[in-house]
Amino acid sequence: MTMSIGLNLFSVFRELNEDYFGTLEKVAEMGYQNIELISSNFSTGERFTDTFSLPVIKRNLDELGLKAFAAHEGVAPGKAIIDGSWDQIIEENAALGCQSIVFPMAFISGREDTLQTAEHLNVIGKKCKQAGLDFYYHNHAHEFKRVGETSLFDLLVEHTDPELVKFELDLVWVMRGGYNPISLLEKLGNRCDMIHQKDLGTHVDPINIFTALSEENNEDTMKLYSEVVKPTDFVNLGTGIMNFEETYQKLNELGIVRYAIVENEGQQGNKFTSIASDLKVMEKYLQGLIKN
């Protein structure tokens, strides 16, 4: 299976907030063809589909030659996953041509809430399947917290139905959780055919960020992201610690991944310059593979 390059639009969420269609135009002009949508303006909290009609968004995507192959869709903080407007979400994204919906983060911290999350993911996955869409869970680092002999991530994998729930692995977050992303991909097999690619600065210790928390703070998931992870940790692709040549050689050998998706969370310089550079890096390591 050949890998296609994608861009998760969280990479330019500030730019989308200011000029949605102008940002999409710039993304297309630099050569991206496949995009993973984000649902809302992070400044106002308003869904883009409430600001612009679905036909207008679809027409602009088509005119720009952009394929929205997937969308990240979450729920508001403090709201239960199951209580999201999933029927509306599925209908809207299907109308935009999305093949997949990805749940971007569940703030799990222990065994019981993880098992409940798995149950809810199964319900949403069933809704998606009935509508002809695939459903994925996207990891960060906190899912790799150990609970006894296993991890929260392992519990999610074990207690979700492989026919209903797949996984979109963020390779760098896997590393920061203390796991080997290639080994995890091998374990997941066909349950993971989309990945997120970012890079960590050479000043960052990538090994298990849980060791950076004191024992008394280890129950607070968000302390990982407020006290340990820094905005300056992330850099443009190819300028950090990620071994792209080795990683993509192994990914090619596995032959499972359909989309390798750029997600640039860095805050250095102009974002359009950054993601244009990221695209060139991805093209370099996916030589001989088609992008669309």
Side-chain angles (χ1 to χ4, degrees):
M1 181 182 296
T2 56
M3 275 183 285
S4 299
I5 299 169
L7 175 71
N8 181 278
L9 291 182
F10 183 76
S11 305
V12 287
F13 76 89
R14 295 179 183 85
E15 291 74 14
L16 286 173
N17 292 348
E18 297 297 322
D19 183 1
Y20 187 77
F21 293 119
T23 298
L24 293 180
E25 184 176 356
K26 290 180 180 177
V27 166
E29 285 175 348
M30 65 183 62
Y32 284 101
Q33 299 175 24
N34 305 295
I35 57 172
E36 189 172 43
L37 301 175
I38 58 173
S39 60
S40 302
N41 183 314
F42 285 98
S43 293
T44 65
E46 187 174 15
R47 287 183 64 82
F48 290 119
T49 52
D50 290 333
T51 306
F52 312 106
S53 71
L54 285 168
V56 169
I57 295 174
K58 184 67 168 71
R59 185 175 68 247
N60 273 269
L61 292 174
D62 290 344
E63 289 175 353
L64 293 170
L66 291 173
K67 176 185 176 182
F69 64 92
H72 271 211
E73 292 280 3
V75 295
K79 192 173 185 179
I81 297 173
I82 202 70
D83 292 334
S85 303
W86 291 105
D87 290 337
Q88 175 191 346
I89 287 168
I90 291 168
E91 183 179 351
E92 288 183 354
N93 284 294
L96 294 175
C98 291
Q99 302 161 329
S100 307
I101 291 177
V102 184
F103 191 80
M105 177 188 277
F107 296 104
I108 52 179
S109 60
R111 181 179 178 85
E112 293 309 312
D113 63 339
T114 301
L115 294 180
Q116 183 181 62
T117 294
E119 182 181 331
H120 290 177
L121 293 176
N122 282 330
V123 172
I124 301 163
K126 185 174 182 179
K127 283 180 175 288
C128 288
K129 185 173 183 178
Q130 289 171 341
L133 277 67
D134 290 327
F135 182 64
Y136 293 74
Y137 182 85
H138 175 87
N139 69 281
H140 286 71
H142 66 278
E143 295 93 343
F144 298 98
K145 177 183 175 182
R146 303 294 297 183
V147 282
E149 297 300 314
T150 188
S151 71
L152 302 182
F153 187 86
D154 292 333
L155 290 174
L156 286 179
V157 173
E158 292 165 11
H159 292 273
T160 48
D161 186 337
E163 297 298 317
L164 303 176
V165 181
K166 300 171 83 171
F167 291 86
E168 179 184 72
L169 279 192
D170 185 303
L171 304 188
V172 165
W173 281 127
V174 172
M175 290 167 57
R176 300 205 78 176
Y179 278 57
N180 181 299
I182 299 298
S183 296
L184 198 52
L185 275 167
E186 291 173 338
K187 177 181 177 181
L188 289 170
N190 291 328
R191 290 189 76 179
C192 178
D193 57 10
M194 301 199 300
I195 61 168
H196 268 210
Q197 185 64 69
K198 52 173 65 76
D199 207 347
L200 277 179
T202 55
H203 62 287
V204 181
D205 181 358
I207 304 302
N208 200 337
I209 60 175
F210 297 103
T211 59
L213 285 180
S214 61
E215 190 65 34
E216 59 270 22
N217 284 339
N218 222 350
E219 293 302 313
D220 189 342
T221 297
M222 289 314 297
K223 283 189 180 293
L224 286 173
Y225 305 104
S226 62
E227 296 184 4
V228 182
V229 177
K230 307 298 181 187
T232 54
D233 288 357
F234 303 105
V235 296
N236 293 347
L237 301 189
T239 66
I241 65 172
M242 192 76 191
N243 186 331
F244 281 86
E245 185 170 1
E246 179 180 337
T247 297
Y248 280 86
Q249 181 179 344
K250 290 181 178 178
L251 290 177
N252 290 340
E253 291 169 359
L254 284 175
I256 297 168
V257 174
R258 296 184 298 122
Y259 286 102
I261 305 160
V262 172
E263 185 184 20
N264 189 309
E265 293 190 40
Q267 295 184 3
Q268 296 84 20
N270 180 283
K271 253 323 179 56
F272 292 117
T273 302
S274 292
I275 63 171
S277 169
D278 291 342
L279 178 57
K280 288 182 173 58
V281 171
M282 294 297 283
E283 288 174 335
K284 175 183 177 181
Y285 290 104
L286 272 65
Q287 286 177 2
L289 303 179
I290 59 173
K291 295 186 295 178
N292 48 32

PDB file of all heavy atoms in Angstrom, residues 95-130:
ATOM      1  N   ALA A  95     -21.143  14.783   4.014  1.00  0.00           N
ATOM      2  CA  ALA A  95     -21.474  15.716   2.939  1.00  0.00           C
ATOM      3  C   ALA A  95     -20.226  16.391   2.379  1.00  0.00           C
ATOM      4  O   ALA A  95     -20.202  16.771   1.194  1.00  0.00           O
ATOM      5  CB  ALA A  95     -22.448  16.773   3.451  1.00  0.00           C
ATOM      6  N   LEU A  96     -19.190  16.540   3.197  1.00  0.00           N
ATOM      7  CA  LEU A  96     -17.940  17.151   2.749  1.00  0.00           C
ATOM      8  C   LEU A  96     -17.005  16.139   2.088  1.00  0.00           C
ATOM      9  O   LEU A  96     -15.919  16.495   1.630  1.00  0.00           O
ATOM     10  CB  LEU A  96     -17.235  17.823   3.923  1.00  0.00           C
ATOM     11  CG  LEU A  96     -17.953  19.038   4.522  1.00  0.00           C
ATOM     12  CD1 LEU A  96     -17.214  19.543   5.758  1.00  0.00           C
ATOM     13  CD2 LEU A  96     -18.093  20.153   3.490  1.00  0.00           C
ATOM     14  N   GLY A  97     -17.427  14.890   2.048  1.00  0.00           N
ATOM     15  CA  GLY A  97     -16.630  13.862   1.382  1.00  0.00           C
ATOM     16  C   GLY A  97     -15.667  13.122   2.281  1.00  0.00           C
ATOM     17  O   GLY A  97     -14.852  12.319   1.792  1.00  0.00           O
ATOM     18  N   CYS A  98     -15.727  13.384   3.592  1.00  0.00           N
ATOM     19  CA  CYS A  98     -14.807  12.706   4.513  1.00  0.00           C
ATOM     20  C   CYS A  98     -15.109  11.217   4.579  1.00  0.00           C
ATOM     21  O   CYS A  98     -16.265  10.808   4.604  1.00  0.00           O
ATOM     22  CB  CYS A  98     -14.916  13.303   5.916  1.00  0.00           C
ATOM     23  SG  CYS A  98     -14.285  14.978   6.058  1.00  0.00           S
ATOM     24  N   GLN A  99     -14.043  10.441   4.616  1.00  0.00           N
ATOM     25  CA  GLN A  99     -14.177   9.001   4.727  1.00  0.00           C
ATOM     26  C   GLN A  99     -14.059   8.518   6.172  1.00  0.00           C
ATOM     27  O   GLN A  99     -14.433   7.398   6.485  1.00  0.00           O
ATOM     28  CB  GLN A  99     -13.083   8.317   3.893  1.00  0.00           C
ATOM     29  CG  GLN A  99     -13.102   8.700   2.421  1.00  0.00           C
ATOM     30  CD  GLN A  99     -11.773   8.405   1.731  1.00  0.00           C
ATOM     31  OE1 GLN A  99     -10.708   8.455   2.348  1.00  0.00           O
ATOM     32  NE2 GLN A  99     -11.843   8.104   0.442  1.00  0.00           N
ATOM     33  N   SER A 100     -13.527   9.402   7.034  1.00  0.00           N
ATOM     34  CA  SER A 100     -13.229   8.997   8.401  1.00  0.00           C
ATOM     35  C   SER A 100     -13.473  10.147   9.367  1.00  0.00           C
ATOM     36  O   SER A 100     -13.281  11.321   9.026  1.00  0.00           O
ATOM     37  CB  SER A 100     -11.764   8.563   8.530  1.00  0.00           C
ATOM     38  OG  SER A 100     -11.434   7.573   7.575  1.00  0.00           O
ATOM     39  N   ILE A 101     -13.863   9.797  10.589  1.00  0.00           N
ATOM     40  CA  ILE A 101     -13.968  10.747  11.692  1.00  0.00           C
ATOM     41  C   ILE A 101     -13.026  10.279  12.792  1.00  0.00           C
ATOM     42  O   ILE A 101     -12.968   9.089  13.112  1.00  0.00           O
ATOM     43  CB  ILE A 101     -15.410  10.846  12.210  1.00  0.00           C
ATOM     44  CG1 ILE A 101     -16.286  11.529  11.151  1.00  0.00           C
ATOM     45  CG2 ILE A 101     -15.470  11.617  13.528  1.00  0.00           C
ATOM     46  CD1 ILE A 101     -17.747  11.621  11.523  1.00  0.00           C
ATOM     47  N   VAL A 102     -12.280  11.233  13.337  1.00  0.00           N
ATOM     48  CA  VAL A 102     -11.254  10.925  14.342  1.00  0.00           C
ATOM     49  C   VAL A 102     -11.584  11.655  15.632  1.00  0.00           C
ATOM     50  O   VAL A 102     -11.785  12.876  15.629  1.00  0.00           O
ATOM     51  CB  VAL A 102      -9.857  11.354  13.849  1.00  0.00           C
ATOM     52  CG1 VAL A 102      -8.791  10.948  14.867  1.00  0.00           C
ATOM     53  CG2 VAL A 102      -9.554  10.755  12.476  1.00  0.00           C
ATOM     54  N   PHE A 103     -11.658  10.914  16.726  1.00  0.00           N
ATOM     55  CA  PHE A 103     -11.845  11.542  18.042  1.00  0.00           C
ATOM     56  C   PHE A 103     -10.468  11.927  18.574  1.00  0.00           C
ATOM     57  O   PHE A 103      -9.608  11.064  18.759  1.00  0.00           O
ATOM     58  CB  PHE A 103     -12.548  10.591  19.011  1.00  0.00           C
ATOM     59  CG  PHE A 103     -12.994  11.277  20.270  1.00  0.00           C
ATOM     60  CD1 PHE A 103     -14.152  12.035  20.280  1.00  0.00           C
ATOM     61  CD2 PHE A 103     -12.239  11.198  21.431  1.00  0.00           C
ATOM     62  CE1 PHE A 103     -14.567  12.697  21.429  1.00  0.00           C
ATOM     63  CE2 PHE A 103     -12.632  11.854  22.582  1.00  0.00           C
ATOM     64  CZ  PHE A 103     -13.804  12.603  22.586  1.00  0.00           C
ATOM     65  N   PRO A 104     -10.215  13.219  18.825  1.00  0.00           N
ATOM     66  CA  PRO A 104      -8.844  13.678  19.025  1.00  0.00           C
ATOM     67  C   PRO A 104      -8.241  13.478  20.413  1.00  0.00           C
ATOM     68  O   PRO A 104      -7.032  13.419  20.540  1.00  0.00           O
ATOM     69  CB  PRO A 104      -8.928  15.174  18.705  1.00  0.00           C
ATOM     70  CG  PRO A 104     -10.345  15.542  18.998  1.00  0.00           C
ATOM     71  CD  PRO A 104     -11.164  14.334  18.671  1.00  0.00           C
ATOM     72  N   MET A 105      -9.067  13.389  21.465  1.00  0.00           N
ATOM     73  CA  MET A 105      -8.479  13.229  22.794  1.00  0.00           C
ATOM     74  C   MET A 105      -9.570  12.957  23.826  1.00  0.00           C
ATOM     75  O   MET A 105     -10.581  13.653  23.860  1.00  0.00           O
ATOM     76  CB  MET A 105      -7.698  14.476  23.221  1.00  0.00           C
ATOM     77  CG  MET A 105      -7.123  14.391  24.641  1.00  0.00           C
ATOM     78  SD  MET A 105      -6.388  15.956  25.223  1.00  0.00           S
ATOM     79  CE  MET A 105      -4.759  15.864  24.507  1.00  0.00           C
ATOM     80  N   ALA A 106      -9.357  11.940  24.645  1.00  0.00           N
ATOM     81  CA  ALA A 106     -10.199  11.702  25.817  1.00  0.00           C
ATOM     82  C   ALA A 106      -9.318  11.862  27.054  1.00  0.00           C
ATOM     83  O   ALA A 106      -8.224  11.304  27.109  1.00  0.00           O
ATOM     84  CB  ALA A 106     -10.803  10.301  25.774  1.00  0.00           C
ATOM     85  N   PHE A 107      -9.795  12.625  28.023  1.00  0.00           N
ATOM     86  CA  PHE A 107      -8.968  12.927  29.193  1.00  0.00           C
ATOM     87  C   PHE A 107      -9.087  11.825  30.238  1.00  0.00           C
ATOM     88  O   PHE A 107      -9.571  12.030  31.348  1.00  0.00           O
ATOM     89  CB  PHE A 107      -9.356  14.289  29.771  1.00  0.00           C
ATOM     90  CG  PHE A 107      -9.077  15.417  28.829  1.00  0.00           C
ATOM     91  CD1 PHE A 107     -10.107  16.020  28.123  1.00  0.00           C
ATOM     92  CD2 PHE A 107      -7.781  15.854  28.618  1.00  0.00           C
ATOM     93  CE1 PHE A 107      -9.847  17.052  27.240  1.00  0.00           C
ATOM     94  CE2 PHE A 107      -7.515  16.879  27.732  1.00  0.00           C
ATOM     95  CZ  PHE A 107      -8.556  17.483  27.043  1.00  0.00           C
ATOM     96  N   ILE A 108      -8.633  10.653  29.848  1.00  0.00           N
ATOM     97  CA  ILE A 108      -8.693   9.497  30.742  1.00  0.00           C
ATOM     98  C   ILE A 108      -7.490   9.506  31.687  1.00  0.00           C
ATOM     99  O   ILE A 108      -6.415   9.989  31.350  1.00  0.00           O
ATOM    100  CB  ILE A 108      -8.730   8.191  29.933  1.00  0.00           C
ATOM    101  CG1 ILE A 108      -7.582   8.155  28.901  1.00  0.00           C
ATOM    102  CG2 ILE A 108     -10.072   8.023  29.240  1.00  0.00           C
ATOM    103  CD1 ILE A 108      -7.517   6.892  28.070  1.00  0.00           C
ATOM    104  N   SER A 109      -7.701   8.961  32.880  1.00  0.00           N
ATOM    105  CA  SER A 109      -6.598   8.939  33.852  1.00  0.00           C
ATOM    106  C   SER A 109      -6.516   7.641  34.637  1.00  0.00           C
ATOM    107  O   SER A 109      -5.536   7.389  35.323  1.00  0.00           O
ATOM    108  CB  SER A 109      -6.736  10.113  34.835  1.00  0.00           C
ATOM    109  OG  SER A 109      -7.969  10.032  35.533  1.00  0.00           O
ATOM    110  N   GLY A 110      -7.548   6.809  34.564  1.00  0.00           N
ATOM    111  CA  GLY A 110      -7.542   5.563  35.311  1.00  0.00           C
ATOM    112  C   GLY A 110      -8.301   4.469  34.580  1.00  0.00           C
ATOM    113  O   GLY A 110      -8.847   4.674  33.497  1.00  0.00           O
ATOM    114  N   ARG A 111      -8.359   3.304  35.181  1.00  0.00           N
ATOM    115  CA  ARG A 111      -8.952   2.142  34.524  1.00  0.00           C
ATOM    116  C   ARG A 111     -10.443   2.330  34.242  1.00  0.00           C
ATOM    117  O   ARG A 111     -10.904   2.061  33.126  1.00  0.00           O
ATOM    118  CB  ARG A 111      -8.739   0.895  35.399  1.00  0.00           C
ATOM    119  CG  ARG A 111      -9.298  -0.368  34.772  1.00  0.00           C
ATOM    120  CD  ARG A 111      -9.067  -1.590  35.639  1.00  0.00           C
ATOM    121  NE  ARG A 111      -9.650  -2.761  35.023  1.00  0.00           N
ATOM    122  CZ  ARG A 111      -9.040  -3.512  34.101  1.00  0.00           C
ATOM    123  NH1 ARG A 111      -7.815  -3.206  33.724  1.00  0.00           N
ATOM    124  NH2 ARG A 111      -9.645  -4.563  33.575  1.00  0.00           N
ATOM    125  N   GLU A 112     -11.184   2.802  35.224  1.00  0.00           N
ATOM    126  CA  GLU A 112     -12.639   2.860  35.071  1.00  0.00           C
ATOM    127  C   GLU A 112     -13.071   3.856  34.003  1.00  0.00           C
ATOM    128  O   GLU A 112     -13.937   3.550  33.175  1.00  0.00           O
ATOM    129  CB  GLU A 112     -13.298   3.185  36.425  1.00  0.00           C
ATOM    130  CG  GLU A 112     -13.157   2.082  37.456  1.00  0.00           C
ATOM    131  CD  GLU A 112     -13.584   0.718  36.927  1.00  0.00           C
ATOM    132  OE1 GLU A 112     -14.679   0.630  36.324  1.00  0.00           O
ATOM    133  OE2 GLU A 112     -12.818  -0.257  37.092  1.00  0.00           O
ATOM    134  N   ASP A 113     -12.495   5.056  34.019  1.00  0.00           N
ATOM    135  CA  ASP A 113     -12.911   6.022  32.997  1.00  0.00           C
ATOM    136  C   ASP A 113     -12.412   5.605  31.612  1.00  0.00           C
ATOM    137  O   ASP A 113     -13.040   5.938  30.600  1.00  0.00           O
ATOM    138  CB  ASP A 113     -12.485   7.450  33.353  1.00  0.00           C
ATOM    139  CG  ASP A 113     -10.989   7.640  33.437  1.00  0.00           C
ATOM    140  OD1 ASP A 113     -10.264   6.656  33.621  1.00  0.00           O
ATOM    141  OD2 ASP A 113     -10.532   8.797  33.340  1.00  0.00           O
ATOM    142  N   THR A 114     -11.338   4.850  31.548  1.00  0.00           N
ATOM    143  CA  THR A 114     -10.862   4.340  30.264  1.00  0.00           C
ATOM    144  C   THR A 114     -11.817   3.298  29.702  1.00  0.00           C
ATOM    145  O   THR A 114     -12.130   3.301  28.501  1.00  0.00           O
ATOM    146  CB  THR A 114      -9.449   3.747  30.401  1.00  0.00           C
ATOM    147  OG1 THR A 114      -8.562   4.764  30.877  1.00  0.00           O
ATOM    148  CG2 THR A 114      -8.938   3.220  29.074  1.00  0.00           C
ATOM    149  N   LEU A 115     -12.313   2.404  30.556  1.00  0.00           N
ATOM    150  CA  LEU A 115     -13.264   1.387  30.109  1.00  0.00           C
ATOM    151  C   LEU A 115     -14.577   2.032  29.660  1.00  0.00           C
ATOM    152  O   LEU A 115     -15.190   1.597  28.673  1.00  0.00           O
ATOM    153  CB  LEU A 115     -13.523   0.372  31.225  1.00  0.00           C
ATOM    154  CG  LEU A 115     -12.321  -0.501  31.620  1.00  0.00           C
ATOM    155  CD1 LEU A 115     -12.710  -1.467  32.730  1.00  0.00           C
ATOM    156  CD2 LEU A 115     -11.774  -1.265  30.421  1.00  0.00           C
ATOM    157  N   GLN A 116     -14.997   3.084  30.368  1.00  0.00           N
ATOM    158  CA  GLN A 116     -16.211   3.796  29.956  1.00  0.00           C
ATOM    159  C   GLN A 116     -15.999   4.497  28.616  1.00  0.00           C
ATOM    160  O   GLN A 116     -16.875   4.498  27.751  1.00  0.00           O
ATOM    161  CB  GLN A 116     -16.627   4.814  31.015  1.00  0.00           C
ATOM    162  CG  GLN A 116     -17.922   5.529  30.657  1.00  0.00           C
ATOM    163  CD  GLN A 116     -18.318   6.545  31.686  1.00  0.00           C
ATOM    164  OE1 GLN A 116     -17.600   7.506  31.936  1.00  0.00           O
ATOM    165  NE2 GLN A 116     -19.480   6.339  32.318  1.00  0.00           N
ATOM    166  N   THR A 117     -14.804   5.072  28.446  1.00  0.00           N
ATOM    167  CA  THR A 117     -14.469   5.716  27.172  1.00  0.00           C
ATOM    168  C   THR A 117     -14.504   4.696  26.040  1.00  0.00           C
ATOM    169  O   THR A 117     -15.037   4.976  24.959  1.00  0.00           O
ATOM    170  CB  THR A 117     -13.084   6.375  27.259  1.00  0.00           C
ATOM    171  OG1 THR A 117     -13.141   7.451  28.214  1.00  0.00           O
ATOM    172  CG2 THR A 117     -12.630   6.916  25.914  1.00  0.00           C
ATOM    173  N   ALA A 118     -13.945   3.526  26.265  1.00  0.00           N
ATOM    174  CA  ALA A 118     -13.958   2.475  25.244  1.00  0.00           C
ATOM    175  C   ALA A 118     -15.393   2.117  24.866  1.00  0.00           C
ATOM    176  O   ALA A 118     -15.711   1.952  23.668  1.00  0.00           O
ATOM    177  CB  ALA A 118     -13.217   1.242  25.742  1.00  0.00           C
ATOM    178  N   GLU A 119     -16.266   2.019  25.848  1.00  0.00           N
ATOM    179  CA  GLU A 119     -17.673   1.715  25.594  1.00  0.00           C
ATOM    180  C   GLU A 119     -18.313   2.800  24.721  1.00  0.00           C
ATOM    181  O   GLU A 119     -19.035   2.502  23.764  1.00  0.00           O
ATOM    182  CB  GLU A 119     -18.415   1.606  26.925  1.00  0.00           C
ATOM    183  CG  GLU A 119     -19.875   1.255  26.804  1.00  0.00           C
ATOM    184  CD  GLU A 119     -20.549   1.183  28.172  1.00  0.00           C
ATOM    185  OE1 GLU A 119     -19.850   0.864  29.159  1.00  0.00           O
ATOM    186  OE2 GLU A 119     -21.758   1.440  28.246  1.00  0.00           O
ATOM    187  N   HIS A 120     -18.033   4.069  25.041  1.00  0.00           N
ATOM    188  CA  HIS A 120     -18.581   5.181  24.263  1.00  0.00           C
ATOM    189  C   HIS A 120     -18.009   5.214  22.850  1.00  0.00           C
ATOM    190  O   HIS A 120     -18.732   5.509  21.882  1.00  0.00           O
ATOM    191  CB  HIS A 120     -18.303   6.503  24.975  1.00  0.00           C
ATOM    192  CG  HIS A 120     -19.078   6.678  26.232  1.00  0.00           C
ATOM    193  ND1 HIS A 120     -18.935   7.767  27.056  1.00  0.00           N
ATOM    194  CD2 HIS A 120     -20.029   5.896  26.817  1.00  0.00           C
ATOM    195  CE1 HIS A 120     -19.752   7.647  28.085  1.00  0.00           C
ATOM    196  NE2 HIS A 120     -20.412   6.522  27.969  1.00  0.00           N
ATOM    197  N   LEU A 121     -16.722   4.919  22.710  1.00  0.00           N
ATOM    198  CA  LEU A 121     -16.108   4.888  21.377  1.00  0.00           C
ATOM    199  C   LEU A 121     -16.765   3.821  20.509  1.00  0.00           C
ATOM    200  O   LEU A 121     -16.973   4.028  19.302  1.00  0.00           O
ATOM    201  CB  LEU A 121     -14.603   4.635  21.489  1.00  0.00           C
ATOM    202  CG  LEU A 121     -13.765   5.744  22.147  1.00  0.00           C
ATOM    203  CD1 LEU A 121     -12.313   5.295  22.278  1.00  0.00           C
ATOM    204  CD2 LEU A 121     -13.846   7.047  21.370  1.00  0.00           C
ATOM    205  N   ASN A 122     -17.107   2.698  21.103  1.00  0.00           N
ATOM    206  CA  ASN A 122     -17.800   1.644  20.348  1.00  0.00           C
ATOM    207  C   ASN A 122     -19.149   2.129  19.819  1.00  0.00           C
ATOM    208  O   ASN A 122     -19.528   1.833  18.686  1.00  0.00           O
ATOM    209  CB  ASN A 122     -18.005   0.410  21.223  1.00  0.00           C
ATOM    210  CG  ASN A 122     -16.754  -0.432  21.375  1.00  0.00           C
ATOM    211  OD1 ASN A 122     -15.908  -0.466  20.479  1.00  0.00           O
ATOM    212  ND2 ASN A 122     -16.616  -1.099  22.503  1.00  0.00           N
ATOM    213  N   VAL A 123     -19.862   2.885  20.645  1.00  0.00           N
ATOM    214  CA  VAL A 123     -21.176   3.396  20.242  1.00  0.00           C
ATOM    215  C   VAL A 123     -21.037   4.356  19.061  1.00  0.00           C
ATOM    216  O   VAL A 123     -21.769   4.263  18.069  1.00  0.00           O
ATOM    217  CB  VAL A 123     -21.877   4.100  21.423  1.00  0.00           C
ATOM    218  CG1 VAL A 123     -23.146   4.802  20.952  1.00  0.00           C
ATOM    219  CG2 VAL A 123     -22.189   3.109  22.528  1.00  0.00           C
ATOM    220  N   ILE A 124     -20.067   5.269  19.165  1.00  0.00           N
ATOM    221  CA  ILE A 124     -19.866   6.244  18.087  1.00  0.00           C
ATOM    222  C   ILE A 124     -19.347   5.539  16.832  1.00  0.00           C
ATOM    223  O   ILE A 124     -19.743   5.858  15.711  1.00  0.00           O
ATOM    224  CB  ILE A 124     -18.894   7.345  18.539  1.00  0.00           C
ATOM    225  CG1 ILE A 124     -19.443   8.043  19.783  1.00  0.00           C
ATOM    226  CG2 ILE A 124     -18.670   8.364  17.420  1.00  0.00           C
ATOM    227  CD1 ILE A 124     -18.408   8.835  20.540  1.00  0.00           C
ATOM    228  N   GLY A 125     -18.448   4.576  17.026  1.00  0.00           N
ATOM    229  CA  GLY A 125     -17.926   3.814  15.901  1.00  0.00           C
ATOM    230  C   GLY A 125     -19.033   3.092  15.152  1.00  0.00           C
ATOM    231  O   GLY A 125     -19.008   3.001  13.913  1.00  0.00           O
ATOM    232  N   LYS A 126     -20.009   2.576  15.878  1.00  0.00           N
ATOM    233  CA  LYS A 126     -21.134   1.891  15.232  1.00  0.00           C
ATOM    234  C   LYS A 126     -21.950   2.869  14.398  1.00  0.00           C
ATOM    235  O   LYS A 126     -22.368   2.568  13.280  1.00  0.00           O
ATOM    236  CB  LYS A 126     -22.015   1.219  16.286  1.00  0.00           C
ATOM    237  CG  LYS A 126     -23.127   0.378  15.695  1.00  0.00           C
ATOM    238  CD  LYS A 126     -23.889  -0.379  16.778  1.00  0.00           C
ATOM    239  CE  LYS A 126     -24.974  -1.260  16.169  1.00  0.00           C
ATOM    240  NZ  LYS A 126     -25.703  -2.028  17.206  1.00  0.00           N
ATOM    241  N   LYS A 127     -22.181   4.080  14.942  1.00  0.00           N
ATOM    242  CA  LYS A 127     -22.901   5.112  14.184  1.00  0.00           C
ATOM    243  C   LYS A 127     -22.162   5.445  12.886  1.00  0.00           C
ATOM    244  O   LYS A 127     -22.770   5.582  11.820  1.00  0.00           O
ATOM    245  CB  LYS A 127     -23.041   6.385  15.026  1.00  0.00           C
ATOM    246  CG  LYS A 127     -24.105   6.344  16.113  1.00  0.00           C
ATOM    247  CD  LYS A 127     -24.133   7.664  16.861  1.00  0.00           C
ATOM    248  CE  LYS A 127     -25.255   7.719  17.864  1.00  0.00           C
ATOM    249  NZ  LYS A 127     -26.595   7.843  17.218  1.00  0.00           N
ATOM    250  N   CYS A 128     -20.856   5.601  13.004  1.00  0.00           N
ATOM    251  CA  CYS A 128     -20.058   5.920  11.817  1.00  0.00           C
ATOM    252  C   CYS A 128     -20.124   4.799  10.793  1.00  0.00           C
ATOM    253  O   CYS A 128     -20.295   5.045   9.587  1.00  0.00           O
ATOM    254  CB  CYS A 128     -18.604   6.193  12.214  1.00  0.00           C
ATOM    255  SG  CYS A 128     -18.344   7.767  13.076  1.00  0.00           S
ATOM    256  N   LYS A 129     -19.979   3.577  11.261  1.00  0.00           N
ATOM    257  CA  LYS A 129     -20.000   2.437  10.334  1.00  0.00           C
ATOM    258  C   LYS A 129     -21.327   2.355   9.601  1.00  0.00           C
ATOM    259  O   LYS A 129     -21.370   2.082   8.389  1.00  0.00           O
ATOM    260  CB  LYS A 129     -19.725   1.140  11.097  1.00  0.00           C
ATOM    261  CG  LYS A 129     -19.616  -0.071  10.176  1.00  0.00           C
ATOM    262  CD  LYS A 129     -19.184  -1.319  10.933  1.00  0.00           C
ATOM    263  CE  LYS A 129     -19.017  -2.488   9.964  1.00  0.00           C
ATOM    264  NZ  LYS A 129     -18.551  -3.710  10.653  1.00  0.00           N
ATOM    265  N   GLN A 130     -22.413   2.603  10.304  1.00  0.00           N
ATOM    266  CA  GLN A 130     -23.735   2.556   9.678  1.00  0.00           C
ATOM    267  C   GLN A 130     -23.877   3.624   8.602  1.00  0.00           C
ATOM    268  O   GLN A 130     -24.649   3.462   7.656  1.00  0.00           O
ATOM    269  CB  GLN A 130     -24.811   2.719  10.746  1.00  0.00           C
ATOM    270  CG  GLN A 130     -24.950   1.508  11.655  1.00  0.00           C
ATOM    271  CD  GLN A 130     -25.863   1.748  12.850  1.00  0.00           C
ATOM    272  OE1 GLN A 130     -26.138   2.896  13.216  1.00  0.00           O
ATOM    273  NE2 GLN A 130     -26.325   0.671  13.462  1.00  0.00           N
TER     274      GLN A 130
END
